[in-house]
Amino acid sequence: MMMAMSLTAAAAEPSPVRKWRSTNGHETQASAIAATAAAVTLELSSGKKVSIPLEKLLPEDRDFALKHFGVVPPKPGDVQRSTDPPLPKEGLAHPLGEISGPVESAPGSHYHIYLPKSLRVGRKAPVLHFNGSGGGGPGEMKRYIAGCDRFGWILVASVESHNRTHGEINLRHAANNIKSLRANPLVDPKRIYFTGQSGGGAMSWWNTVNLDGAGTMPAIGYIPPEATVRKGHHFILGGASDYNRYHGGRAATQVGKNGFYRIYPGGHSFPKDHAILHEGIGWLTGKYLAGNKAEGDLAGERLDYEAAMIDWIRELSAGEPWLACHLGEMLVDTYGISGRNGDVLKGILSELEKSPQNVAFAEGVRAIHEFGVKDYGSYSFTGDARGRNNDTHVRALQKISEKYAGIVFVEDTLREMATPTTK
């Protein structure tokens, strides 16, 4: 929930009951009891309190709320952020910004946990649960931390998760962890996501189906044939020459528009650039928020998500402008950014898109996804260390790679996708 105090005049009283009009024509009689630069909180005659984003109100009603509560909106070009205060360090079961544990969730089941420094008062956080093919601990967690800090996700790793262990046993450990986490007051119980590499990627699919997960971010894994995914959002990671690349394509085909297949250079391993993992956390956050625009309690998180993405895009603009352009277009297409922050992003993108290389990179990442879904996803060969594409795939990939010749990352990825699979 948004906290209004720091941008609300301390002595401001609730406004008189008046008519409030939305941009879609809806009208309601209510008193305003608080406002921030993002939303106004109304109290209806029934006593019910509702939070309405300011961008959904007509300009004169928006201006009335800002003036009544003495709220100063950000200047043009400034990124709009929530005023929700950071979570105090005192009194927490685990320290902020440190990996701690192992925590016993049930007899024989344990997890390590990381609480990001970006947690906010009054806001429940999503959880990313790591399932390792060889167990889970601080070493496996470190590659995710920057993304969790940026977007406010709690990160945990199952200690007992292992390829040597039967699937039902792995599921039991994960179930114990999730039951414990859902009882944690910092956790949003509806937003549990699963990640992992190789066999841990397969566990991600199995866990989200059986434990009512919100989605997955599996890496170089496969989707078990008995796992039918019917909901959630899924950011699928795969090496260009990995023997599981066809499995990744079939998984992406199954989840359709609720998934993205992010293929990168390399074989059966995590991407060398962990920024792709952080991108995945950002993509999953954006998909969830885009699908829940009507929830006023998410207004603060939406602002902080937009600000985090724009800050990251600005950071990348000098050294990796192609990636900045891709993330900016993702924020437009996947999340549907609008309002003041949308205007800020539009200005940044207009500069980035002046470079044909930046635009080609963003297009190339989408082309790789589309090939992975359409062609890898429909190919009957499952892949092993001796696997090869069929000739049709090779010719198609060569043609696409010619279009993106000289484009960083994209050309290398497409070239490797045309080679035999490797361990």
Side-chain angles (χ1 to χ4, degrees), residues 311-369:
D311 288 347
W312 192 15
I313 289 164
R314 281 175 164 162
E315 291 168 18
L316 292 167
S317 291
E320 298 177 272
W322 51 88
L323 182 56
C325 186
H326 162 64
L327 293 175
E329 293 187 3
M330 183 183 86
L331 193 53
V332 172
D333 297 337
T334 300
Y335 171 71
I337 190 171
S338 61
R340 186 181 300 275
N341 284 344
D343 292 339
V344 173
L345 178 64
K346 189 182 299 182
I348 298 170
L349 270 179
S350 66
E351 291 299 314
L352 290 170
E353 290 174 343
K354 289 178 180 178
S355 165
Q357 288 79 12
N358 294 346
V359 174
F361 176 90
E363 291 178 351
V365 171
R366 290 194 295 272
I368 290 168
H369 157 77

Side-chain angles (χ1 to χ4, degrees), residues 267-309:
H268 194 65
S269 60
F270 273 111
K272 292 180 180 179
D273 185 355
H274 295 161
I276 295 178
L277 299 174
H278 312 158
E279 175 188 327
I281 297 171
W283 185 91
L284 291 168
T285 305
K287 289 290 283 186
Y288 179 84
L289 294 175
N292 292 273
K293 287 185 176 179
E295 293 192 26
D297 285 351
L298 293 174
E301 184 179 350
R302 275 193 287 271
L303 282 181
D304 286 341
Y305 169 68
E306 293 168 5
M309 286 293 292

Side-chain angles (χ1 to χ4, degrees), residues 160-418:
E160 287 80 16
S161 172
H162 207 291
N163 277 0
R164 294 197 305 263
T165 307
H166 189 273
E168 292 299 326
I169 297 175
N170 283 325
L171 178 62
R172 186 176 72 240
H173 290 306
N176 289 336
N177 293 346
I178 298 309
K179 182 178 180 180
S180 170
L181 290 161
R182 282 186 166 135
N184 187 321
L186 299 178
V187 169
D188 184 341
K190 299 178 295 185
R191 297 172 69 183
I192 307 291
Y193 296 82
F194 295 94
T195 187
Q197 91 287 17
S198 192
M203 293 177 220
S204 299
W205 293 108
W206 191 239
N207 287 343
T208 202
V209 168
N210 288 279
L211 302 176
D212 195 27
T216 63
M217 193 169 71
I220 54 173
Y222 60 92
I223 185 166
E226 62 272 28
T228 302
V229 182
R230 302 188 185 279
K231 67 172 190 174
H233 301 118
H234 310 275
F235 193 84
I236 303 162
L237 299 147
S241 59
D242 176 34
Y243 59 92
N244 276 335
R245 64 190 179 192
Y246 307 101
H247 287 296
R250 277 198 290 278
T253 301
Q254 185 178 138
V255 300
K257 65 180 180 180
N258 290 320
F260 195 84
Y261 194 10
R262 192 70 155 88
I263 305 175
Y264 50 84
H268 194 65
S269 60
F270 273 111
K272 292 180 180 179
D273 185 355
H274 295 161
I276 295 178
L277 299 174
H278 312 158
E279 175 188 327
I281 297 171
W283 185 91
L284 291 168
T285 305
K287 289 290 283 186
Y288 179 84
L289 294 175
N292 292 273
K293 287 185 176 179
E295 293 192 26
D297 285 351
L298 293 174
E301 184 179 350
R302 275 193 287 271
L303 282 181
D304 286 341
Y305 169 68
E306 293 168 5
M309 286 293 292
I310 292 172
D311 288 347
W312 192 15
I313 289 164
R314 281 175 164 162
E315 291 168 18
L316 292 167
S317 291
E320 298 177 272
W322 51 88
L323 182 56
C325 186
H326 162 64
L327 293 175
E329 293 187 3
M330 183 183 86
L331 193 53
V332 172
D333 297 337
T334 300
Y335 171 71
I337 190 171
S338 61
R340 186 181 300 275
N341 284 344
D343 292 339
V344 173
L345 178 64
K346 189 182 299 182
I348 298 170
L349 270 179
S350 66
E351 291 299 314
L352 290 170
E353 290 174 343
K354 289 178 180 178
S355 165
Q357 288 79 12
N358 294 346
V359 174
F361 176 90
E363 291 178 351
V365 171
R366 290 194 295 272
I368 290 168
H369 157 77
E370 290 165 3
F371 186 94
V373 174
K374 179 177 177 292
D375 293 272
Y376 281 168
S378 63
Y379 193 29
S380 60
F381 177 66
T382 58
D384 61 30
R386 299 176 300 282
R388 295 178 181 274
N389 277 326
N390 61 29
D391 291 340
T392 302
H393 280 175
V394 172
R395 288 193 297 269
L397 286 163
Q398 288 173 342
K399 185 175 181 179
I400 300 172
S401 63
E402 289 172 6
K403 178 180 178 180
Y404 295 103
I407 302 302
V408 63
F409 177 92
V410 176
E411 182 183 18
D412 290 343
T413 303
L414 290 165
R415 185 176 61 250
E416 288 190 32
M417 289 169 69

